[in-house]
Amino acid sequence: MSEEIGKLLELQEKDRERYDLLTRLEQLKEEHLRIEQKLAEEQSAVEERCQQVKQLSHDSRGKNLEVDDVDTQIRNYQKRLDEGIISFKEMEALQAKIANQRNRIDEMEDNAIELMDMMEIAEAKLVEVERDLDEQKRCFASRSARISSQILEAKEKLESREQERAAIKDRFPAHLLSHYEGLHSQFDDPVVAIVNGLCSGCKLKLNSTTIERARTETEIVTCQNCSRILYIT
Ligand SMILES: [Zn+2]
C-alpha cells in the first residue's frame, strides 16, 4: 500500500471516528432532553394534584360555612318559636322553614363529608406522587450528571479527533485532499480496497487496467463507476 493511500485511510478512519462521536453526542443530548421532559411532566402532574387538593380544601371549607349558616338560621327560627309571641300561622310557617332547612342541612352535611373524604384521598395521593417525584429527581440528578460527563468526554474526544484530522490533512497535496473531500460528501468510505476484482464500495467489477494501475501504486486510482479511491491490500 502506498504512503498516500495509507494517509488517506488514516484520514478516513478519523472521519469515521468523528462521525461516530457526533452521532453519540446527538444521542446523549436527546437522551438528556428526554429525561428533562419526563421530569417536567412529573412535576406538572404533581402541581396539578396539589391544585386539586387546594380546590377540594376550599370547597370543603365553603360547604362547612354554608352548613354553619343554615344551622344559625334554624337556631334563629327556633328562638323565635320558643320566645316570640306569634300567631298560629306564623308558628306553622316557622316550623315549615325549620323542617325545610333541616332537610337542606342533612344534604349539605353529606356533601361536606363527601368532600372531606375526597380531600383525604387526594392528600394521600399527593403525598405518594410527591415521594415519587423526589425519587425521580434523585434519579434524574444522577442520570443527568452521568450524561453530562459522557457529553463532555465525547466533546473532548471529538476535539482531539479534529486536531488529529487537521494534522493529517496538512500533509496532503491540495488536489488529493479536495478529491477526497468531494467523495466524502457522498460516501462514508471514499477509500476502499479492491476485493476479488470488485470495488468494495459499489461492488462493481473493475477492469484489469484499473486493477493493474492500483497494484503498481504509482498513482491514485479511482473506481470507474463510483469514483472512490482504490487500493489493493
Ligand atoms: Zn466503485
Side-chain angles (χ1 to χ4, degrees), residues 29-77:
K29 283 177 187 167
E30 275 169 26
E31 192 186 344
H32 201 250
L33 199 64
R34 264 200 309 279
I35 64 167
E36 253 177 354
Q37 279 168 345
K38 178 98 173 45
L39 185 70
E41 278 167 22
E42 298 279 338
Q43 218 148 10
S44 88
V46 169
E47 273 157 29
E48 210 173 294
R49 285 205 177 270
C50 195
Q51 283 304 320
Q52 198 185 5
V53 169
K54 276 187 190 157
Q55 186 61 49
L56 282 168
S57 159
H58 175 266
D59 293 350
S60 172
R61 261 201 317 277
K63 193 51 82 179
N64 282 325
L65 286 174
E66 268 182 63
V67 170
D68 288 347
D69 280 351
V70 176
D71 191 54
T72 310
Q73 267 182 13
I74 294 172
R75 280 174 205 281
N76 288 340
Y77 292 150

Side-chain angles (χ1 to χ4, degrees), residues 154-191:
K155 277 185 177 165
E156 280 169 2
K157 275 189 189 165
L158 186 62
E159 202 175 313
S160 90
R161 290 302 164 279
E162 298 282 14
Q163 282 168 4
E164 288 163 8
R165 192 176 180 277
I168 297 169
K169 272 169 73 175
D170 284 348
R171 309 199 308 257
F172 275 95
H175 72 279
L176 187 54
L177 192 60
S178 87
H179 185 69
Y180 171 87
E181 301 281 24
L183 286 169
H184 193 245
S185 64
Q186 291 173 268
F187 312 116
D188 289 340
D189 54 348
V191 189

Side-chain angles (χ1 to χ4, degrees), residues 199 201-203 223 225-228 230:
C199 159
C202 66
K203 313 290 181 206
C223 169
N225 177 54
C226 69
S227 303
R228 281 181 175 90
L230 300 167

Side-chain angles (χ1 to χ4, degrees), residues 28 32 141-154:
L28 287 166
H32 201 250
S142 75
R143 281 180 74 191
S144 172
R146 183 174 52 80
I147 295 171
S148 297
S149 85
Q150 285 172 333
I151 287 178
L152 195 69
E153 198 185 322

